[in-house]
Amino acid sequence: LQVAEMKWQAGELSASTAAFTTFLNTYTNSPGIRRAWLGRGLVRYQAGQFKAALMDFNQARRSQIPDEDAEHALYLSGLCHFWLDDGEKAVKTENLFMTTYTNSPYAPRAHFWLAKYAFNEGDYAKAEFSFVHYYKTYPDSRHAQDALLWAGRAALRQKEYIRAVERLGELAKAFPEGGRLPEARFEQGNALCELAKFSEAILVFQEIINKHPDAEIIAETWLRTGDCQFMLGVTDTARYDESIAAYKKCVQS
């Protein structure tokens, strides 16, 4: 069993699967049988063998394994259903996991996955609620910034532009040095554009350009700056020159 786990940690997935299988076939009455089902499932999941992994996770759950292993198996079962193109079963499984193991260390992951799934399915109201609830429940988690960012994007998709600005502004206040800040500011600028507040949007875009010149979205930021300057050119023709300059910066970025 230790050999199987060591080979998995070393990235030798085929050898690890073979070792787990040997253990499962040889030591059928060992207390480690439950650990082996979960271990082989994890290896197969990593290898993209989701159908086989799901079978192992189901075996692990039936084996009355320790709680944390049971939680892990159920959580990953939901993801297997997703990768097997059964989104409905995936959501049902993750919801079952959330109600069964409320305090599990895997609960934040399942919560975030469900919110992201709702967003990708176009259920933006549900996604926004779920992302906000995630942030309030796990404010110190590694996905806290992402939750606020996606909540803001979900508000944008619902054309709730003022609320989107507020959501994204909350991210900026809570994580002033956060890695998601450039994206949050960019989306905030887009929301301001939808509200026809082009001057305010330019200030937001300029903040990205000044503080995050190496951000991946810098070209898009210059592009949106040019768009804003162009819109303001209707009442101030000097803005057209600034728009041209911004578009040139976009091309150069």
Side-chain angles (χ1 to χ4, degrees), residues 177-200:
E177 303 298 328
R180 289 296 198 180
L181 188 56
E183 293 170 88
R185 285 302 197 197
F186 182 78
E187 297 290 10
Q188 198 173 37
N190 286 333
L192 289 168
C193 288
E194 295 293 343
L195 293 168
K197 297 183 177 181
F198 301 112
S199 295
E200 292 182 38

PDB file of all heavy atoms in Angstrom, residues 177-200:
ATOM      1  N   GLU A 177      -4.205  44.358  -1.988  1.00  0.00           N
ATOM      2  CA  GLU A 177      -2.999  43.871  -2.664  1.00  0.00           C
ATOM      3  C   GLU A 177      -3.247  42.509  -3.301  1.00  0.00           C
ATOM      4  O   GLU A 177      -2.298  41.792  -3.623  1.00  0.00           O
ATOM      5  CB  GLU A 177      -1.850  43.758  -1.643  1.00  0.00           C
ATOM      6  CG  GLU A 177      -1.520  45.043  -0.899  1.00  0.00           C
ATOM      7  CD  GLU A 177      -1.059  46.160  -1.827  1.00  0.00           C
ATOM      8  OE1 GLU A 177      -0.420  45.829  -2.856  1.00  0.00           O
ATOM      9  OE2 GLU A 177      -1.337  47.328  -1.535  1.00  0.00           O
ATOM     10  N   GLY A 178      -4.489  42.174  -3.473  1.00  0.00           N
ATOM     11  CA  GLY A 178      -4.832  40.851  -3.985  1.00  0.00           C
ATOM     12  C   GLY A 178      -4.503  40.661  -5.455  1.00  0.00           C
ATOM     13  O   GLY A 178      -4.503  41.604  -6.250  1.00  0.00           O
ATOM     14  N   GLY A 179      -4.236  39.414  -5.813  1.00  0.00           N
ATOM     15  CA  GLY A 179      -3.893  39.102  -7.199  1.00  0.00           C
ATOM     16  C   GLY A 179      -5.042  39.245  -8.168  1.00  0.00           C
ATOM     17  O   GLY A 179      -4.832  39.344  -9.381  1.00  0.00           O
ATOM     18  N   ARG A 180      -6.270  39.270  -7.660  1.00  0.00           N
ATOM     19  CA  ARG A 180      -7.444  39.408  -8.525  1.00  0.00           C
ATOM     20  C   ARG A 180      -7.862  40.860  -8.727  1.00  0.00           C
ATOM     21  O   ARG A 180      -8.831  41.136  -9.444  1.00  0.00           O
ATOM     22  CB  ARG A 180      -8.620  38.630  -7.921  1.00  0.00           C
ATOM     23  CG  ARG A 180      -8.468  37.122  -7.992  1.00  0.00           C
ATOM     24  CD  ARG A 180      -8.455  36.658  -9.424  1.00  0.00           C
ATOM     25  NE  ARG A 180      -8.720  35.237  -9.552  1.00  0.00           N
ATOM     26  CZ  ARG A 180      -8.754  34.591 -10.695  1.00  0.00           C
ATOM     27  NH1 ARG A 180      -8.536  35.243 -11.826  1.00  0.00           N
ATOM     28  NH2 ARG A 180      -8.986  33.303 -10.736  1.00  0.00           N
ATOM     29  N   LEU A 181      -7.143  41.764  -8.105  1.00  0.00           N
ATOM     30  CA  LEU A 181      -7.538  43.178  -8.148  1.00  0.00           C
ATOM     31  C   LEU A 181      -7.585  43.746  -9.565  1.00  0.00           C
ATOM     32  O   LEU A 181      -8.543  44.460  -9.899  1.00  0.00           O
ATOM     33  CB  LEU A 181      -6.613  44.013  -7.267  1.00  0.00           C
ATOM     34  CG  LEU A 181      -7.021  45.474  -7.057  1.00  0.00           C
ATOM     35  CD1 LEU A 181      -8.434  45.572  -6.496  1.00  0.00           C
ATOM     36  CD2 LEU A 181      -6.036  46.168  -6.123  1.00  0.00           C
ATOM     37  N   PRO A 182      -6.580  43.503 -10.429  1.00  0.00           N
ATOM     38  CA  PRO A 182      -6.677  44.047 -11.795  1.00  0.00           C
ATOM     39  C   PRO A 182      -7.946  43.606 -12.528  1.00  0.00           C
ATOM     40  O   PRO A 182      -8.608  44.427 -13.173  1.00  0.00           O
ATOM     41  CB  PRO A 182      -5.425  43.500 -12.489  1.00  0.00           C
ATOM     42  CG  PRO A 182      -4.460  43.270 -11.377  1.00  0.00           C
ATOM     43  CD  PRO A 182      -5.296  42.806 -10.221  1.00  0.00           C
ATOM     44  N   GLU A 183      -8.296  42.339 -12.408  1.00  0.00           N
ATOM     45  CA  GLU A 183      -9.508  41.845 -13.068  1.00  0.00           C
ATOM     46  C   GLU A 183     -10.762  42.483 -12.472  1.00  0.00           C
ATOM     47  O   GLU A 183     -11.704  42.816 -13.204  1.00  0.00           O
ATOM     48  CB  GLU A 183      -9.594  40.330 -12.919  1.00  0.00           C
ATOM     49  CG  GLU A 183      -8.525  39.565 -13.666  1.00  0.00           C
ATOM     50  CD  GLU A 183      -8.517  38.098 -13.283  1.00  0.00           C
ATOM     51  OE1 GLU A 183      -9.262  37.332 -13.922  1.00  0.00           O
ATOM     52  OE2 GLU A 183      -7.788  37.718 -12.349  1.00  0.00           O
ATOM     53  N   ALA A 184     -10.757  42.632 -11.143  1.00  0.00           N
ATOM     54  CA  ALA A 184     -11.916  43.248 -10.490  1.00  0.00           C
ATOM     55  C   ALA A 184     -12.091  44.693 -10.948  1.00  0.00           C
ATOM     56  O   ALA A 184     -13.203  45.132 -11.245  1.00  0.00           O
ATOM     57  CB  ALA A 184     -11.740  43.189  -8.975  1.00  0.00           C
ATOM     58  N   ARG A 185     -10.998  45.431 -11.005  1.00  0.00           N
ATOM     59  CA  ARG A 185     -11.064  46.823 -11.458  1.00  0.00           C
ATOM     60  C   ARG A 185     -11.525  46.893 -12.918  1.00  0.00           C
ATOM     61  O   ARG A 185     -12.297  47.789 -13.295  1.00  0.00           O
ATOM     62  CB  ARG A 185      -9.692  47.480 -11.303  1.00  0.00           C
ATOM     63  CG  ARG A 185      -9.313  47.835  -9.880  1.00  0.00           C
ATOM     64  CD  ARG A 185     -10.320  48.768  -9.259  1.00  0.00           C
ATOM     65  NE  ARG A 185      -9.833  49.447  -8.080  1.00  0.00           N
ATOM     66  CZ  ARG A 185     -10.593  50.052  -7.196  1.00  0.00           C
ATOM     67  NH1 ARG A 185     -11.918  50.049  -7.358  1.00  0.00           N
ATOM     68  NH2 ARG A 185     -10.085  50.657  -6.149  1.00  0.00           N
ATOM     69  N   PHE A 186     -11.043  45.962 -13.725  1.00  0.00           N
ATOM     70  CA  PHE A 186     -11.422  45.951 -15.142  1.00  0.00           C
ATOM     71  C   PHE A 186     -12.936  45.743 -15.288  1.00  0.00           C
ATOM     72  O   PHE A 186     -13.598  46.458 -16.047  1.00  0.00           O
ATOM     73  CB  PHE A 186     -10.662  44.852 -15.876  1.00  0.00           C
ATOM     74  CG  PHE A 186     -10.960  44.795 -17.352  1.00  0.00           C
ATOM     75  CD1 PHE A 186     -10.370  45.699 -18.223  1.00  0.00           C
ATOM     76  CD2 PHE A 186     -11.828  43.851 -17.869  1.00  0.00           C
ATOM     77  CE1 PHE A 186     -10.650  45.664 -19.590  1.00  0.00           C
ATOM     78  CE2 PHE A 186     -12.111  43.806 -19.221  1.00  0.00           C
ATOM     79  CZ  PHE A 186     -11.521  44.714 -20.086  1.00  0.00           C
ATOM     80  N   GLU A 187     -13.465  44.780 -14.557  1.00  0.00           N
ATOM     81  CA  GLU A 187     -14.900  44.519 -14.621  1.00  0.00           C
ATOM     82  C   GLU A 187     -15.686  45.697 -14.044  1.00  0.00           C
ATOM     83  O   GLU A 187     -16.777  46.024 -14.521  1.00  0.00           O
ATOM     84  CB  GLU A 187     -15.247  43.237 -13.857  1.00  0.00           C
ATOM     85  CG  GLU A 187     -14.613  41.969 -14.421  1.00  0.00           C
ATOM     86  CD  GLU A 187     -15.193  41.551 -15.757  1.00  0.00           C
ATOM     87  OE1 GLU A 187     -15.952  42.322 -16.368  1.00  0.00           O
ATOM     88  OE2 GLU A 187     -14.890  40.430 -16.212  1.00  0.00           O
ATOM     89  N   GLN A 188     -15.119  46.340 -13.039  1.00  0.00           N
ATOM     90  CA  GLN A 188     -15.761  47.519 -12.458  1.00  0.00           C
ATOM     91  C   GLN A 188     -15.825  48.634 -13.500  1.00  0.00           C
ATOM     92  O   GLN A 188     -16.851  49.319 -13.636  1.00  0.00           O
ATOM     93  CB  GLN A 188     -14.968  47.978 -11.235  1.00  0.00           C
ATOM     94  CG  GLN A 188     -15.723  48.909 -10.300  1.00  0.00           C
ATOM     95  CD  GLN A 188     -14.932  49.170  -9.032  1.00  0.00           C
ATOM     96  OE1 GLN A 188     -13.713  49.280  -9.056  1.00  0.00           O
ATOM     97  NE2 GLN A 188     -15.625  49.281  -7.906  1.00  0.00           N
ATOM     98  N   GLY A 189     -14.750  48.790 -14.235  1.00  0.00           N
ATOM     99  CA  GLY A 189     -14.739  49.778 -15.310  1.00  0.00           C
ATOM    100  C   GLY A 189     -15.779  49.471 -16.373  1.00  0.00           C
ATOM    101  O   GLY A 189     -16.470  50.375 -16.872  1.00  0.00           O
ATOM    102  N   ASN A 190     -15.929  48.195 -16.713  1.00  0.00           N
ATOM    103  CA  ASN A 190     -16.944  47.800 -17.689  1.00  0.00           C
ATOM    104  C   ASN A 190     -18.347  48.143 -17.196  1.00  0.00           C
ATOM    105  O   ASN A 190     -19.202  48.586 -17.966  1.00  0.00           O
ATOM    106  CB  ASN A 190     -16.841  46.299 -17.969  1.00  0.00           C
ATOM    107  CG  ASN A 190     -15.646  45.956 -18.834  1.00  0.00           C
ATOM    108  OD1 ASN A 190     -15.181  46.784 -19.616  1.00  0.00           O
ATOM    109  ND2 ASN A 190     -15.147  44.746 -18.706  1.00  0.00           N
ATOM    110  N   ALA A 191     -18.586  47.921 -15.899  1.00  0.00           N
ATOM    111  CA  ALA A 191     -19.898  48.237 -15.325  1.00  0.00           C
ATOM    112  C   ALA A 191     -20.155  49.740 -15.385  1.00  0.00           C
ATOM    113  O   ALA A 191     -21.271  50.182 -15.697  1.00  0.00           O
ATOM    114  CB  ALA A 191     -19.969  47.747 -13.882  1.00  0.00           C
ATOM    115  N   LEU A 192     -19.130  50.537 -15.117  1.00  0.00           N
ATOM    116  CA  LEU A 192     -19.268  51.995 -15.183  1.00  0.00           C
ATOM    117  C   LEU A 192     -19.557  52.444 -16.615  1.00  0.00           C
ATOM    118  O   LEU A 192     -20.331  53.386 -16.841  1.00  0.00           O
ATOM    119  CB  LEU A 192     -18.008  52.668 -14.654  1.00  0.00           C
ATOM    120  CG  LEU A 192     -17.790  52.559 -13.136  1.00  0.00           C
ATOM    121  CD1 LEU A 192     -16.368  52.994 -12.761  1.00  0.00           C
ATOM    122  CD2 LEU A 192     -18.819  53.408 -12.382  1.00  0.00           C
ATOM    123  N   CYS A 193     -18.957  51.753 -17.570  1.00  0.00           N
ATOM    124  CA  CYS A 193     -19.241  52.070 -18.980  1.00  0.00           C
ATOM    125  C   CYS A 193     -20.713  51.819 -19.302  1.00  0.00           C
ATOM    126  O   CYS A 193     -21.344  52.618 -20.014  1.00  0.00           O
ATOM    127  CB  CYS A 193     -18.363  51.224 -19.895  1.00  0.00           C
ATOM    128  SG  CYS A 193     -16.618  51.703 -19.921  1.00  0.00           S
ATOM    129  N   GLU A 194     -21.247  50.721 -18.795  1.00  0.00           N
ATOM    130  CA  GLU A 194     -22.654  50.412 -19.029  1.00  0.00           C
ATOM    131  C   GLU A 194     -23.566  51.465 -18.405  1.00  0.00           C
ATOM    132  O   GLU A 194     -24.690  51.684 -18.872  1.00  0.00           O
ATOM    133  CB  GLU A 194     -22.990  49.030 -18.468  1.00  0.00           C
ATOM    134  CG  GLU A 194     -22.282  47.873 -19.150  1.00  0.00           C
ATOM    135  CD  GLU A 194     -22.737  47.686 -20.592  1.00  0.00           C
ATOM    136  OE1 GLU A 194     -23.809  48.222 -20.955  1.00  0.00           O
ATOM    137  OE2 GLU A 194     -22.030  46.999 -21.353  1.00  0.00           O
ATOM    138  N   LEU A 195     -23.061  52.122 -17.356  1.00  0.00           N
ATOM    139  CA  LEU A 195     -23.818  53.199 -16.710  1.00  0.00           C
ATOM    140  C   LEU A 195     -23.534  54.553 -17.360  1.00  0.00           C
ATOM    141  O   LEU A 195     -24.002  55.591 -16.877  1.00  0.00           O
ATOM    142  CB  LEU A 195     -23.456  53.263 -15.220  1.00  0.00           C
ATOM    143  CG  LEU A 195     -23.896  52.058 -14.375  1.00  0.00           C
ATOM    144  CD1 LEU A 195     -23.232  52.106 -13.005  1.00  0.00           C
ATOM    145  CD2 LEU A 195     -25.421  52.042 -14.231  1.00  0.00           C
ATOM    146  N   ALA A 196     -22.760  54.510 -18.463  1.00  0.00           N
ATOM    147  CA  ALA A 196     -22.379  55.729 -19.193  1.00  0.00           C
ATOM    148  C   ALA A 196     -21.532  56.678 -18.341  1.00  0.00           C
ATOM    149  O   ALA A 196     -21.487  57.880 -18.604  1.00  0.00           O
ATOM    150  CB  ALA A 196     -23.608  56.440 -19.737  1.00  0.00           C
ATOM    151  N   LYS A 197     -20.836  56.144 -17.358  1.00  0.00           N
ATOM    152  CA  LYS A 197     -19.938  56.945 -16.528  1.00  0.00           C
ATOM    153  C   LYS A 197     -18.515  56.759 -17.054  1.00  0.00           C
ATOM    154  O   LYS A 197     -17.649  56.160 -16.413  1.00  0.00           O
ATOM    155  CB  LYS A 197     -20.046  56.525 -15.065  1.00  0.00           C
ATOM    156  CG  LYS A 197     -21.431  56.772 -14.465  1.00  0.00           C
ATOM    157  CD  LYS A 197     -21.470  56.405 -12.983  1.00  0.00           C
ATOM    158  CE  LYS A 197     -22.837  56.714 -12.382  1.00  0.00           C
ATOM    159  NZ  LYS A 197     -22.899  56.398 -10.930  1.00  0.00           N
ATOM    160  N   PHE A 198     -18.287  57.311 -18.254  1.00  0.00           N
ATOM    161  CA  PHE A 198     -17.039  57.050 -18.956  1.00  0.00           C
ATOM    162  C   PHE A 198     -15.828  57.690 -18.277  1.00  0.00           C
ATOM    163  O   PHE A 198     -14.740  57.110 -18.272  1.00  0.00           O
ATOM    164  CB  PHE A 198     -17.158  57.511 -20.406  1.00  0.00           C
ATOM    165  CG  PHE A 198     -18.268  56.834 -21.150  1.00  0.00           C
ATOM    166  CD1 PHE A 198     -19.389  57.543 -21.570  1.00  0.00           C
ATOM    167  CD2 PHE A 198     -18.210  55.475 -21.419  1.00  0.00           C
ATOM    168  CE1 PHE A 198     -20.427  56.914 -22.236  1.00  0.00           C
ATOM    169  CE2 PHE A 198     -19.252  54.830 -22.085  1.00  0.00           C
ATOM    170  CZ  PHE A 198     -20.356  55.560 -22.505  1.00  0.00           C
ATOM    171  N   SER A 199     -15.999  58.865 -17.728  1.00  0.00           N
ATOM    172  CA  SER A 199     -14.879  59.527 -17.044  1.00  0.00           C
ATOM    173  C   SER A 199     -14.438  58.708 -15.829  1.00  0.00           C
ATOM    174  O   SER A 199     -13.232  58.548 -15.575  1.00  0.00           O
ATOM    175  CB  SER A 199     -15.271  60.940 -16.614  1.00  0.00           C
ATOM    176  OG  SER A 199     -15.511  61.753 -17.743  1.00  0.00           O
ATOM    177  N   GLU A 200     -15.411  58.191 -15.072  1.00  0.00           N
ATOM    178  CA  GLU A 200     -15.081  57.365 -13.909  1.00  0.00           C
ATOM    179  C   GLU A 200     -14.422  56.054 -14.354  1.00  0.00           C
ATOM    180  O   GLU A 200     -13.481  55.575 -13.713  1.00  0.00           O
ATOM    181  CB  GLU A 200     -16.338  57.063 -13.101  1.00  0.00           C
ATOM    182  CG  GLU A 200     -16.931  58.276 -12.407  1.00  0.00           C
ATOM    183  CD  GLU A 200     -18.160  57.924 -11.576  1.00  0.00           C
ATOM    184  OE1 GLU A 200     -18.147  56.842 -10.951  1.00  0.00           O
ATOM    185  OE2 GLU A 200     -19.121  58.720 -11.575  1.00  0.00           O
TER     186      GLU A 200
END
